[in-house]
Each structure stands twice: as structure tokens, then as C-alpha cells.
Amino acid sequence: MIAPFLLSLSMIATDVESIRSAGEWLVQNVGSDGLFRYGFEPALDRELEGENLVRQAGTAAALARAGAILRDEGMTRRARAVLARLIELREKDREKPLAVRREFAQQQGAHPVGWGALLLLGLAELRERTPAEIHQGDAMASFLLSHQRDDGSIRLVDLEDEGDDDGDIDEEGWAYYPGEALYALARWGVIRDQTDLLERVCRSRSVYWKHWRQEKEPAFIPWQSAAHSEVFLATGEKASASMVFEMNDWLLGLQYDGKNSPASWAGGFGHYHEGERWAIEPGIASASYAESLVEGVRVARGMKDSVRQERYRQALDRAITFVG
């Protein structure tokens, strides 16, 4: 789970040594199969079993961003190599029958939309891209666009699963995968100067804003904030800025201040479920919420909203302190 922490640090780029330390740790934790080690139990001196290729892609994206910010060729090379290995695995998987792909996705944590989205994001985070990587990114963007419904929402099942698409929120991944796909499309649209990709992200705004108001889920906020922050900064779409503000203003209410909670919880975020805030000990998920606050700062600066900018920045500093 170092990836969200590294992403949040790299998005503000104020603690260079922390970014470098986290990036170097990831570089050192690539196994003989060309992927990051899934996990490690220090007390038992053994690696954890299992795999999650969506997380692998997200970690590669985090390392690529760190390499770009630090201009560290070693980090960039390692991120590029992991991305290449993951893209190779994905291309082989997409050639197989649907039933085989379903089993692979379940066993390997390879959700088709989430995996494709974070691979595209990883390619976008590279400081420079080869012609082959640009071609792969364009293909990945086309794949994600093929999953967008007419109302702008992102279909989370494979296109062959016609009977499974009833338009409802996917209980397994509605809070994560659509936002990941939209953010990756927005980033790629900016990099490739393709305004149509930004327009496709805008198309999703009303449906997901409505979902957000009906199903307030904290995990939904970081990715959607990233997507619509990118849109606002590229196009000046004020509705996207308003969505980012509404979600992050609400998120601030979940942050512990250390006065009305244990001091060790200060800066972390509580849990929210079915309309209730749960006063439980915060964990590493707080790093993801720090990412969201970074987006809030970026949008507030762009909107010249100094009050929100300062409020988000203070909350971000507390969150980074907690996670660190």
C-alpha cells in the first residue's frame, strides 16, 4: 500500500527525500517475474502469497510519477519494465475466451477496466513515451471508451457480458474503477492533446455526481476528484471544479483532529457507511484521501479560492503527517 502514499507525496512534490525513499523501495522490490512483490511479512521473513494486477499497475504508475518528478532514470526504467510486463500479460489475456478471462481476473485481481485504466495512467506518468508506448496508450484509451455508456457512466463488465449490464452501480468496484478510467482518459487526453477524451470525461459528470449524492462513499472521492480536477485545469469547466469542491468539503468532515479522538489518530480519516460516520482507527486508506486533497488544492488555486486552498492544504499536511 505504499503506492497511494507515494502518489500523494509526488503530487505535492514538497518532500523530495520521502518520494525518493519510497521510489527506491519499490525499485528494490521487483521480483524475478518482473513484477512487484505482492507483500512481505517481516516477522516471518517470507513473501505473501497472492496477486493483484490492478494494484501492480497502480504501483507502476506511482513509480513512474516519482521517476518523472525526480528525473531518476533508474525509477523510470523500472516502472517502464513493469508496465511492459503487465501490458504483455494483458494482451495475452485478452486473446483468451471470456470464461478463461473471468477466471484469470478473479484469481489475479485483473479487473478489465481497473487494470486497463491504471496501465494507461502508468503510460501517462512516464516522463517520455516511445512510439510503441503511445500506440499502446491509444489502444488502452479506446478500450476504456468502449466501456462508456451513452449517459457517460463506465460499464464495468466485459462487453461480451451483455446480460449482466443493467446499469446499476457495481457493488464490487463502482467506487474505484470508473474514476480510475476517467482519470486515465483525462490524463491521456491532456498528454495527447485530444479534447474529445476530456469531453468524454465531462459526459460522465452528471451521472457520477448523482451517484455520489445518493451513495456517499469516501473511496469514490479520490479518483473522481483526480479526473475532474484534470478536466477543470485543462478546460476551465467550472462544473467539474464544483464537483471536486463538494466531495472534498464533505471529506474534511471525516478527518480526525486529535482533540476529539486519540492523539495518534490526528490527520487520519474515519469510516463512513450507510449514512453513518464510524469512529474507528484510521489506516493507510488515509493516503488515498490525501491524494484527493491534493486535487482540491489544485482546483482551489485555479479557481482563486484562497479559503478552500488553505483549508485543504492544512488538512493535507495533517494527513501526510499521519500516514508518514
Side-chain angles (χ1 to χ4, degrees), residues 93-94 96-106 158 160:
D93 177 59
R94 300 306 297 178
K96 297 174 182 176
L98 178 60
V100 178
R101 298 206 307 270
R102 284 177 180 155
E103 183 177 0
F104 181 79
Q106 184 174 14
D158 264 303
E160 297 93 327

Side-chain angles (χ1 to χ4, degrees), residues 245 297 299-311:
F245 284 160
V297 170
V299 172
R301 184 186 300 128
M303 288 288 286
K304 294 181 170 50
D305 187 335
S306 59
V307 174
R308 273 197 174 93
Q309 182 177 340
E310 182 60 22
R311 187 190 310 150

Side-chain angles (χ1 to χ4, degrees), residues 86-306:
L86 290 169
I87 290 171
E88 178 187 19
L89 288 173
R90 182 180 179 277
E91 289 175 347
K92 290 180 179 179
D93 177 59
R94 300 306 297 178
E95 296 172 354
K96 297 174 182 176
L98 178 60
V100 178
R101 298 206 307 270
R102 284 177 180 155
E103 183 177 0
F104 181 79
Q106 184 174 14
Q107 293 178 349
Q108 300 293 311
H111 187 282
V113 172
W115 195 15
L118 292 178
L119 286 173
L120 178 57
L121 182 61
L123 292 171
E125 295 301 341
L126 293 171
R127 189 156 61 92
E128 296 178 353
R129 284 155 293 280
T130 66
E133 288 166 342
I134 291 174
H135 176 74
Q136 290 167 338
D138 287 343
M140 211 79 69
S142 294
F143 169 80
L144 295 175
L145 290 176
S146 73
H147 280 253
Q148 190 174 39
R149 301 186 185 95
D150 290 342
D151 67 356
S153 62
I154 301 296
R155 176 193 177 107
L156 297 182
V157 297
D158 264 303
L159 298 179
E160 297 93 327
D161 286 332
E162 293 293 342
D164 293 338
D165 184 26
D166 58 8
D168 293 335
I169 292 174
D170 184 292
E171 294 296 333
E172 295 297 323
W174 77 270
Y176 302 94
Y177 302 135
E180 292 171 358
L182 294 167
Y183 181 40
L185 287 170
R187 290 279 289 132
W188 197 248
V190 170
I191 287 167
R192 298 283 284 139
D193 194 24
Q194 294 179 348
T195 57
D196 59 312
L197 294 184
L198 296 169
E199 290 170 359
R200 294 288 286 268
V201 176
C202 284
R203 187 187 302 177
S204 75
R205 188 174 53 232
S206 60
V207 66
Y208 285 119
W209 205 343
K210 180 180 178 180
H211 281 338
W212 153 247
R213 288 170 170 171
Q214 293 174 342
E215 302 281 343
K216 285 188 169 61
E217 164 59 56
F220 176 87
I221 300 174
W223 290 111
Q224 292 284 340
S225 289
H228 289 285
S229 168
E230 200 73 22
V231 166
F232 165 71
L233 293 172
T235 68
E237 279 274 343
K238 291 186 178 180
S240 286
S242 295
M243 184 177 175
V244 173
F245 284 160
E246 182 175 321
M247 292 188 297
N248 283 276
D249 286 351
W250 181 88
L251 183 62
L252 292 179
L254 296 183
Q255 190 175 41
Y256 294 116
D257 59 12
K259 298 175 182 177
N260 299 308
S261 65
S264 61
W265 294 12
F269 291 80
H271 187 62
Y272 184 90
H273 184 66
E274 295 183 351
E276 295 183 358
R277 289 178 170 82
W278 294 9
I280 60 177
E281 184 175 5
I284 193 61
S286 295
S288 294
Y289 306 139
E291 291 180 58
S292 188
L293 291 171
V294 171
E295 302 298 348
V297 170
R298 296 174 72 207
V299 172
R301 184 186 300 128
M303 288 288 286
K304 294 181 170 50
D305 187 335
S306 59

